[in-house]
Amino acid sequence: MKPYVYITRKLPNELVKPLQERFTVNMWKHDDIPVPKDILIEEAKKADALFTVLADSIDERVLNAGKNLKVVANLAVGYDNIDLTTASKNGIAICNTPDVLTDTTADLTFGLLMAAARRIVESAEFVKEGKWQSWSPYLLAGQDIHHKTLGIVGMGKIGETVAKRATGFDMDILYYNRTRKPEVEQQLGVVYTSFDELVTKSDFIVCLTPLTPETKNMFTREVFQKMKRSTIFINAARGAVVDEQALYEALLAGEIAGAGLDVFQKEPINADHPLLKLSNVVALPHIGSSSMETRTIMIQLCIDNIMAILEGKEPKTLVNKDWRPLVRG
Ligand code: DGY
């Protein structure tokens, strides 16, 4: 019997073809509605491989249901939606899509910073809503970006690439990371600081840290209160890194000047969410890596990883380095 592959979102047929030529492939019928948990578990029971997205919670229930499951290929660099411990225990390889999305996500992150600083979305809506009556000296005046101080929290590859973008704007760049990166400091002129110092000194704070038990809710009300009142906070990492209520209160109280958010604690965010009522918040639907080119490459990488594991080869981008295939009876 051919190995069975289940894909949790509808993908273009031409991309899935290499899988279909080798394996039995089944795909959820929607590209924008998540597969219900009970269906996912039923599919996991039959599957040798799962192709998942970050909105799928690949928890103990799913992984334990997958008696034949050998690989989960997740269409994201982040993998906080997956229970890695159970995966490794069950001999399931977890693969992600690092590197291929770095530039695209950095572009979006810097774009979000620019949109929030220069009030681009607010201004575009102003014109479309017919509110533009005349030119005026301070009409929708935002904040300069050039020559300001940028603080990057989470200096992974995307952080480094955002820093590279920022050098073109003559920014002073601070960073905070679990590990210090002397070669990046040399190359880009970025300065390592404590989290507290970064938070106090930066004009723009960009959060790019992965979601882990240590980073969950790291941006509290107290942290926002330490920022300058002119600071703009950007989150392109994971929503749960921020205490959203605290962010809302800080914005409302004028403790910070604005926010650009690509990610939220609960996605999709409800349109009635108080954060979305604030004119100084730019909100995007988690599109960091969403360019046609990059999403296509990410899909291909997931497919390559599935094919590698099912054909007994090394996957290109394995997350759980302690993974060993189970000898199944
Ligand atoms: C990722 O890959 O983790 C991003 O959040 C997707 O845009």
Side-chain angles (χ1 to χ4, degrees), residues 16-34:
V16 178
K17 211 163 161 232
L19 284 178
Q20 286 165 333
E21 285 165 359
R22 293 166 174 81
F23 315 118
T24 304
V25 179
N26 190 11
M27 196 151 62
W28 176 237
K29 54 186 181 242
H30 301 286
D31 64 359
D32 57 351
I33 301 176

Side-chain angles (χ1 to χ4, degrees), residues 34 97 176 206 253 301 309 318:
T97 61
Y176 170 73
V206 169
L301 180 53
I309 295 282
L318 180 69

Side-chain angles (χ1 to χ4, degrees), residues 22-273:
R22 293 166 174 81
F23 315 118
T24 304
V25 179
N26 190 11
M27 196 151 62
W28 176 237
K29 54 186 181 242
H30 301 286
D31 64 359
D32 57 351
I33 301 176
V35 57
K37 189 77 171 196
D38 54 331
I39 296 181
L40 179 56
I41 290 176
E42 283 313 303
E43 291 294 342
K45 283 182 189 167
K46 299 181 274 179
D48 294 273
L50 289 177
F51 183 128
T52 60
V53 300
L54 52 82
D56 301 316
S57 168
I58 307 301
D59 55 16
E60 221 177 353
R61 281 173 71 206
V62 176
L63 294 168
N64 285 343
K67 298 289 176 227
N68 293 316
L69 193 57
K70 296 166 189 71
V71 53
V72 176
N74 200 43
L75 189 71
V77 65
Y79 42 81
D80 48 278
N81 58 318
I82 302 177
D83 175 351
L84 285 190
T85 311
T86 305
S88 293
K89 185 161 70 76
N90 292 4
I92 301 166
I94 304 299
C95 299
N96 65 342
T97 61
D99 307 327
V100 296
L101 49 61
T102 301
D103 280 298
T104 302
T105 309
D107 286 350
L108 189 281
T109 307
F110 207 80
L112 188 50
L113 183 157
M114 293 185 72
R118 296 300 308 272
R119 304 174 65 182
I120 293 173
V121 176
E122 208 185 334
S123 299
E125 281 166 2
F126 181 84
V127 175
K128 285 195 175 172
E129 286 165 10
K131 291 183 182 160
W132 190 19
Q133 299 300 328
S134 77
W135 190 91
S136 123
Y138 287 103
L139 178 64
L140 288 153
Q143 289 190 32
D144 275 335
I145 299 158
H146 63 87
H147 297 97
K148 293 282 183 72
T149 299
L150 170 66
I152 299 176
V153 177
M155 198 60 142
K157 287 189 181 136
I158 300 172
E160 287 175 27
T161 310
V162 168
K164 209 158 116 193
R165 306 283 182 271
T167 59
F169 285 73
D170 299 313
M171 298 181 94
D172 290 326
I173 307 164
L174 310 176
Y175 79 100
Y176 170 73
N177 199 46
R178 240 179 352 178
T179 48
R180 202 171 158 171
K181 298 195 152 175
E183 63 305 337
V184 180
E185 289 172 26
Q186 270 231 311
Q187 204 188 333
L188 296 172
V190 298
V191 175
Y192 182 78
T193 63
S194 67
F195 181 61
D196 251 34
E197 193 181 342
L198 180 146
V199 158
T200 329
K201 288 191 173 164
S202 301
D203 299 304
F204 298 95
I205 296 175
V206 169
C207 173
L208 285 163
T209 185
L211 174 62
T212 64
E214 291 75 43
T215 63
K216 194 166 186 207
N217 278 327
M218 76 187 283
F219 287 93
T220 57
R221 183 75 190 275
E222 204 192 341
V223 170
F224 288 119
Q225 279 169 340
K226 284 185 188 157
M227 295 178 187
K228 299 184 197 177
R229 291 181 90 83
S230 55
T231 292
I232 292 183
F233 175 73
I234 308 296
N235 189 6
R238 286 292 181 269
V241 171
V242 175
D243 175 343
E244 260 172 19
Q245 182 62 25
L247 172 61
Y248 173 70
E249 284 165 12
L251 285 161
L252 205 63
E255 288 160 6
I256 63 169
L261 308 170
D262 186 39
V263 290
F264 300 89
Q265 276 181 3
K266 186 178 171 305
E267 296 179 1
I269 188 170
N270 191 309
D272 292 330
H273 195 289

